[in-house]
Amino acid sequence: MRNFSSKQREACGAAGGTAFADRLADRFAPRFAVQFRFSGLATLRAAANLAVARAEAIGCATERDAAKYLLLSWMLGSEFATDPRHPWAAEWLKPLPDTFVAFRLDRLLDIANAQMDAVQGPDNAEMVRSMLRVRRLEPGDFQRAGVDP
C-alpha cells in the first residue's frame, strides 16, 4: 500500500499526480467499463484526480483509502459528502477521536452498499430499468430538461 501526500505530489510535479490518478483509473476501469464506455478514460481520470484531492482533505494517507473514496463518489455522486440525500456520509467523514479514516470509509461503503441494494432491487433490476429508459432518450430530451449530458 502506497502512501501519498500533497507535498509528495507537488515534489513530483504534474507527472506525479497524473501517475497516481492514472493508477487509480487503471485499477477501476475494468470494473466500471459499462459506466465509462460513454464518457471515456479522460472522465475517469478527472474523477480520480478529484477524489484524490477530496480524500486527502479528510485525512486519507493511502492509495487504498483514496480508492475507497473514489468508489463512494461513483456510487453516490461526486458531491456525496455534502449531498442532503446522504446526510449520514458527512457524519462519517468527520474526524472522530480514536477512529481511523480507513474504518470510517469502510463503514460508509457498508452503508452505501446497503442503500444501493435497497434502492436497486434484486439483481439491480431498478438500475437496469433506469439504464434502459436513458437509452431511449434523445439528446434533445436532455436539453429540454435543462441537463447537460
Side-chain angles (χ1 to χ4, degrees):
M1 190 176 334
R2 296 184 179 143
N3 290 339
F4 69 94
S5 72
S6 59
K7 289 179 185 175
Q8 289 170 323
R9 287 200 322 271
E10 286 172 18
C12 293
T18 301
F20 179 70
D22 287 352
R23 278 196 307 275
L24 275 181
D26 291 344
R27 184 173 164 191
F28 279 97
R31 294 182 185 137
F32 292 92
V34 172
Q35 292 90 330
F36 289 99
R37 180 176 50 193
F38 299 106
S39 56
L41 191 57
T43 300
L44 177 57
R45 289 192 170 131
N49 275 315
L50 180 61
V52 167
R54 289 181 176 172
E56 187 177 77
I58 64 160
C60 293
T62 66
E63 285 187 22
R64 185 169 187 258
D65 290 345
K68 288 178 189 178
Y69 195 97
L70 179 59
L71 181 57
L72 283 163
S73 71
W74 287 340
M75 290 173 68
L76 304 172
S78 62
E79 303 294 329
F80 78 92
T82 57
D83 191 328
R85 294 175 298 169
H86 313 298
W88 43 267
E91 289 300 313
W92 278 100
L93 291 174
K94 288 180 186 174
L96 300 170
D98 302 322
T99 306
F100 294 105
V101 172
F103 169 79
R104 297 194 319 262
L105 290 171
D106 284 341
R107 184 66 185 124
L108 265 174
L109 279 169
D110 291 343
I111 295 168
N113 279 317
Q115 182 183 32
M116 297 297 268
D117 287 345
V119 170
Q120 293 177 356
D123 297 321
N124 297 319
E126 293 302 320
M127 182 181 69
V128 170
R129 283 199 235 1
S130 172
M131 291 172 78
L132 290 172
R133 284 191 300 269
V134 168
R135 282 185 178 173
R136 289 189 293 254
L137 296 174
E138 297 292 328
D141 296 333
F142 289 103
Q143 292 166 344
R144 283 188 290 281
V147 175
D148 182 17

